[in-house]
Amino acid sequence: MVLSKLLFASLLISFVLFHFVDADDQTVHAQTQGSLLQQIDCNAACTARCRLASRQRMCHRACGTCCSRCNCVPPGTSGNQEVCPCYASLTTHGGRRKCP
């Protein structure tokens, strides 16, 4: 009799703990999904980044590729690569920086 009550109590406690762990996991997952859904406007960011480039179409195409991969474009028309490390780390097959 005591053994069955002890077993029932331990199962009940386990169920409650699993419920709290699952609820916490769903909260973390929802927060992660929310941050992934925030995409920057690559077209506008690349237009601003490439506005002074001599070859605007090529600049805009390369910037758009980098922006879609990194979801980041450094501010200004050149430099500021440290603001977006992913953007700065992308290179061409020749080893040069891909992103303008």
Side-chain angles (χ1 to χ4, degrees):
M1 181 75 165
V2 174
L3 185 60
S4 64
K5 287 183 181 181
L6 186 60
L7 181 63
F8 178 73
S10 64
L11 286 174
L12 184 63
I13 290 171
S14 297
F15 176 72
V16 170
L17 286 175
F18 284 129
H19 177 72
F20 284 128
V21 169
D22 187 47
D24 186 48
D25 185 44
Q26 288 178 359
T27 302
V28 170
H29 183 67
Q31 290 172 350
T32 305
Q33 288 293 82
S35 66
L36 290 177
L37 293 177
Q38 290 181 332
Q39 294 286 323
I40 67 168
D41 182 7
C42 289
N43 191 28
C46 289
T47 299
R49 181 82 174 165
C50 296
R51 73 178 183 267
L52 298 179
S54 59
R55 300 174 71 185
Q56 287 197 0
R57 284 186 180 172
M58 188 173 79
C59 178
H60 204 297
R61 186 178 64 224
C63 178
T65 301
C66 297
C67 178
S68 66
R69 288 183 187 169
C70 299
N71 194 34
C72 179
V73 174
T77 56
S78 66
N80 301 320
Q81 300 280 337
E82 67 280 353
V83 175
C84 188
C86 171
Y87 189 92
S89 69
L90 296 177
T91 57
T92 63
H93 292 292
R96 294 185 297 164
R97 283 191 170 159
K98 177 179 183 66
C99 308

